[in-house]
């Protein structure tokens, strides 16, 4: 399972352009770190940066990536 900002990404990372998804963020992988049972990825999406944790770990990601998620897993928080 992959999470970003507390939101589970059930489909997780997919290669950009690999498959169509309604709830998809396309970004650029800036950094990734292998943590043993998980991996952490810093992804630039527009002007924002998402810290994404994937368990089990994902390796071999590079360049443009996409994150897909189910809208029922999203919780919008005010600032």
């Amino acid at each position: 399972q992959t999470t970003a900002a507390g939101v589970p990404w059930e489909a997780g990372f997919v290669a950009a352009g690999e498959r169509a998804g309604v709830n998809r963020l396309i970004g650029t992988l800036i950094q990734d770190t292998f943590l043993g049972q998980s991996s952490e990825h810093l992804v630039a999406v527009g002007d924002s940066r998402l810290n994404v944790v994937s368990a089990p770990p994902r390796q071999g990601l590079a360049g443009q990536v996409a994150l897909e998620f189910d809208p029922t897993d999203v919780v919008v928080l005010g600032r």
Side-chain angles (χ1 to χ4, degrees), residues 18-55:
E18 183 175 300
R19 64 178 187 226
V22 175
N23 302 303
R24 172 181 275 209
L25 297 174
I26 304 289
T28 303
L29 185 67
I30 296 174
Q31 176 183 357
D32 63 347
T33 306
F34 177 70
L35 302 172
Q37 293 184 348
S38 65
S39 55
E40 187 172 280
H41 312 274
L42 183 61
V43 180
V45 178
D47 293 335
S48 299
R49 302 289 184 263
L50 296 176
N51 187 32
V52 181
V53 177
S54 182

